Amino acid sequence: MRNICMLVSYDGTAYSGFQTQPSSVTIQEKMEEAIKLLTGESVKITASGRTDAGVHARGQVINFLTSSQIPIRRWTLAINARLPADIIVNGAAEVDESFHSTRSAIRKTYRYTIRCGRNRDVFQHHTEYHHYAPLDVEKMRQALQYLLGEHDFTSFCSIRSTKQSHVRTLYAATITEWDESIQDIPSKRLVIEITGNGFLYNMVRIIVGTLLQVGEGKRHPDDFKTILLRKERSAAGPTAMAHGLMLWEVMYKEAVKFT
Amino acid sequence: MRNICMLVSYDGTAYSGFQTQPSSVTIQEKMEEAIKLLTGESVKITASGRTDAGVHARGQVINFLTSSQIPIRRWTLAINARLPADIIVNGAAEVDESFHSTRSAIRKTYRYTIRCGRNRDVFQHHTEYHHYAPLDVEKMRQALQYLLGEHDFTSFCSIRSTKQSHVRTLYAATITEWDESIQDIPSKRLVIEITGNGFLYNMVRIIVGTLLQVGEGKRHPDDFKTILLRKERSAAGPTAMAHGLMLWEVMYKEAVKFT
């Protein structure tokens, strides 16, 4: 059997998340259907991370085993011709049989985008969380610093998590501001980018939901230190809405060479 | 009567253009409906330029006369509550009775966006024209230089134009490249921005359609000089697709102060 790996982008708006579940439309289901149309095989694909309902991906990585002999260069176009317009395969690679898109990942980056200003953006509202009132971005940056390094992220993890350990390491957490004002009407896009060795269930969304409270002045940046130490979900703020979140990039021990 | 001016953004995907026409859904119709819901009045709105079917606007300017006494600060939110999600009023202003959004405009900027690379972008495909093969951007920039200044743009104008004069002045024409590669898979976004004192019917789309031929190596940049001199539509290339075009900004003799 060949082990095929693919670099996938999708707009999660219309889907009940990545993973197949009864009576709902998922990315996994659409991709497995496309592969079956192409190869005749019923494969089971594995993703680097299962994005939730409404969450997007720019650089999701999936893999599956197949006995199909289609040359690797032909996979991308062939699969794209069989996928809906909101899912696209950017590239494919044939990888070692030991490669597993979840377990072999060493580093992941998520982005959460906030539109800050009176008005929604008419072109990007499906990938941005709209926040009407101004946010203190400097204070949000201060709060994020407490999360860098190795910590037990239980406070920033859904109580539905089934993971044994909630210890993860964050390598970077930044906020970039873009001025998107239209004439005199102020508008900002804030992109929160977080890179770590792994993420827990709802972790980025809970971090962002708590960060918004800091930006609104409802919490002090130093609260992030205390929240981590409490190790209970109730210590943190609400879970931010799904549609602002995007799985941006996944890195592996040995870089996958997509074609 | 008060003269109310509004700064409007819309995603043109679902519309048959700006201007009301029988048995089709237009931006004008949706806006006039929203104003009627708010004020009870049947007004007729005028726009700085009537965008075609599928064309978008970030900074469209419209105006209309009303006897409504609603304070100017309240218009934006009140109208937005009555508009579909793909049309948004960014701000409103009360202007002098002599103000006319078309005739008072002195300068307009359009942007045309091209996604250059093997794959469409899954998040922005409704506002980008997808071009599979590489483009020679430097040659496209050279071609654009011939259009700067005052010229008769008959060659770059639809034969359906009803304007008496086809002489217009372009002040700037630039191409900005953004690297949008996903890991090893190359992808570029090209933003062509053109500013002038006025634009003819389909003018930007015909310029871009001809520019694509230069980028593909099918025409020499110097052809743009000859095309202008020929003063006939058939001298230029095809009309580029509507969905890559966006009315970006409109400037007036006296800047309108939107709130």
Side-chain angles (χ1 to χ4, degrees):
Chain A
M1 297 283 267
R2 299 162 79 198
N3 193 0
I4 304 287
C5 178
M6 285 178 171
L7 182 64
V8 186
S9 299
Y10 48 83
D11 180 330
T13 309
Y15 298 96
S16 302
F18 183 85
Q19 193 179 27
T20 296
Q21 17 178 326
S23 65
S24 54
V25 185
T26 62
I27 313 290
Q28 183 181 356
E29 181 191 327
K30 290 289 173 193
M31 294 210 66
E32 289 175 354
E33 278 173 15
I35 295 165
K36 184 160 193 179
L37 282 170
L38 180 63
T39 65
E41 279 182 328
S42 293
V43 306
K44 187 172 182 317
I45 64 173
T46 307
S48 72
R50 299 172 215 137
T51 53
D52 264 352
V55 174
H56 314 289
R58 171 186 176 270
Q60 173 71 284
V61 176
I62 63 122
N63 76 299
F64 57 94
L65 299 173
T66 177
S67 55
S68 159
Q69 290 309 309
I70 298 171
I72 197 66
R73 294 183 166 276
R74 289 192 47 213
W75 277 93
T76 303
L77 283 178
I79 289 285
N80 284 337
R82 291 157 176 89
L83 279 172
D86 47 11
I87 307 177
I88 198 160
V89 172
N90 299 292
E94 189 161 353
V95 288
D96 193 84
E97 61 177 16
S98 67
F99 179 91
H100 186 284
S101 51
T102 322
R103 288 195 291 269
S104 310
I106 52 165
R107 208 177 154 111
K108 263 186 213 168
T109 298
Y110 279 92
R111 284 195 180 182
Y112 196 97
T113 305
I114 299 166
R115 169 74 46 165
C116 194
R118 194 175 58 191
N119 308 310
R120 277 182 308 106
D121 180 86
V122 91
F123 303 109
Q124 306 193 14
H125 58 86
H126 57 306
T127 57
E128 296 177 339
Y129 169 66
H130 178 217
H131 192 271
Y132 190 96
L135 291 166
D136 189 329
V137 178
E138 216 31 71
K139 287 219 167 74
M140 292 164 74
R141 287 195 178 109
Q142 286 167 31
L144 277 178
Q145 298 314 302
Y146 289 108
L147 304 184
L148 295 179
E150 188 182 87
H151 300 283
D152 183 317
F153 283 96
T154 302
S155 298
F156 293 102
C157 172
S158 164
I159 52 165
R160 288 177 287 161
S161 165
T162 54
K163 292 280 161 68
Q164 295 205 327
S165 165
H166 289 163
V167 176
R168 296 291 182 276
T169 301
L170 295 194
Y171 304 116
T174 58
I175 306 179
T176 313
E177 290 179 83
W178 305 83
D179 181 13
E180 301 266 343
S181 300
I182 303 187
Q183 301 213 15
D184 296 333
I185 311 298
S187 182
K188 264 192 211 173
R189 192 154 46 98
L190 303 183
V191 180
I192 302 167
E193 185 173 297
I194 302 180
T195 300
N197 65 351
F199 290 87
L200 303 163
Y201 190 23
N202 280 353
M203 181 166 149
V204 180
R205 289 169 59 189
I206 299 169
I207 291 174
V208 172
T210 316
L211 211 54
L212 283 167
Q213 296 183 321
V214 171
E216 290 163 348
K218 292 176 186 162
R219 274 185 196 268
H220 194 273
D222 297 346
D223 283 9
F224 267 56
K225 193 176 177 178
T226 335
I227 295 168
L228 277 174
L229 294 172
R230 289 260 308 272
K231 290 179 201 165
E232 47 182 345
R233 172 66 185 91
S234 63
T239 307
M241 288 180 77
H243 72 284
L245 184 62
M246 193 177 294
L247 172 56
W248 190 253
E249 196 170 43
V250 188
M251 305 291 272
Y252 292 90
K253 281 165 231 168
E254 287 183 51
V256 182
K257 290 216 173 77
F258 296 102
T259 48
Chain B
M1 297 284 266
R2 298 161 79 197
N3 193 0
I4 304 285
C5 177
M6 284 178 172
L7 182 64
V8 186
S9 299
Y10 48 83
D11 180 330
T13 308
Y15 298 95
S16 302
F18 184 85
Q19 193 180 27
T20 296
Q21 15 178 328
S23 65
S24 54
V25 185
T26 64
I27 314 289
Q28 184 181 355
E29 180 191 327
K30 290 290 173 191
M31 294 210 66
E32 290 175 354
E33 278 172 15
I35 295 166
K36 183 161 193 177
L37 282 170
L38 180 63
T39 65
E41 278 182 328
S42 294
V43 305
K44 187 172 182 319
I45 64 172
T46 307
S48 72
R50 298 174 215 136
T51 53
D52 265 351
V55 174
H56 314 289
R58 171 185 174 271
Q60 173 71 285
V61 176
I62 62 121
N63 76 299
F64 57 93
L65 299 173
T66 178
S67 55
S68 158
Q69 289 310 308
I70 299 170
I72 197 67
R73 294 184 165 275
R74 288 191 47 212
W75 276 93
T76 302
L77 282 179
I79 289 284
N80 283 337
R82 291 157 176 89
L83 279 171
D86 48 10
I87 307 177
I88 198 159
V89 172
N90 298 291
E94 189 161 352
V95 288
D96 193 85
E97 61 178 17
S98 67
F99 179 90
H100 186 284
S101 51
T102 323
R103 289 195 290 269
S104 311
I106 52 165
R107 207 178 155 111
K108 263 186 213 170
T109 298
Y110 279 92
R111 285 195 179 182
Y112 195 97
T113 305
I114 299 166
R115 169 74 47 165
C116 194
R118 193 175 60 190
N119 308 311
R120 278 182 307 106
D121 180 87
V122 91
F123 304 109
Q124 306 193 14
H125 58 88
H126 57 305
T127 57
E128 295 178 339
Y129 169 67
H130 178 218
H131 192 270
Y132 190 95
L135 291 166
D136 189 330
V137 179
E138 215 31 72
K139 287 220 167 74
M140 292 164 73
R141 288 196 177 108
Q142 285 167 31
L144 277 178
Q145 298 313 302
Y146 289 108
L147 303 185
L148 295 179
E150 188 183 86
H151 300 283
D152 183 317
F153 282 96
T154 302
S155 297
F156 293 102
C157 171
S158 165
I159 51 165
R160 287 177 288 162
S161 165
T162 54
K163 292 280 161 68
Q164 295 206 326
S165 166
H166 289 162
V167 175
R168 296 290 183 276
T169 301
L170 294 194
Y171 305 116
T174 59
I175 306 180
T176 312
E177 289 179 83
W178 305 83
D179 181 13
E180 301 266 342
S181 300
I182 304 187
Q183 302 215 15
D184 297 333
I185 311 298
S187 182
K188 263 192 209 174
R189 192 153 47 97
L190 303 183
V191 179
I192 302 167
E193 185 173 297
I194 303 180
T195 301
N197 65 351
F199 289 87
L200 303 164
Y201 191 21
N202 281 352
M203 180 166 150
V204 179
R205 289 169 59 189
I206 298 169
I207 291 174
V208 172
T210 315
L211 211 54
L212 283 167
Q213 297 183 321
V214 171
E216 290 162 348
K218 292 178 187 161
R219 275 185 195 267
H220 195 274
D222 296 346
D223 283 9
F224 266 56
K225 194 177 177 178
T226 335
I227 295 168
L228 277 175
L229 294 172
R230 289 260 308 273
K231 290 178 199 166
E232 47 181 346
R233 171 67 186 89
S234 62
T239 307
M241 288 181 77
H243 71 284
L245 185 62
M246 194 178 294
L247 172 56
W248 190 254
E249 196 170 42
V250 188
M251 304 292 272
Y252 292 89
K253 280 166 233 168
E254 287 183 50
V256 182
K257 291 217 174 77
F258 296 102
T259 48

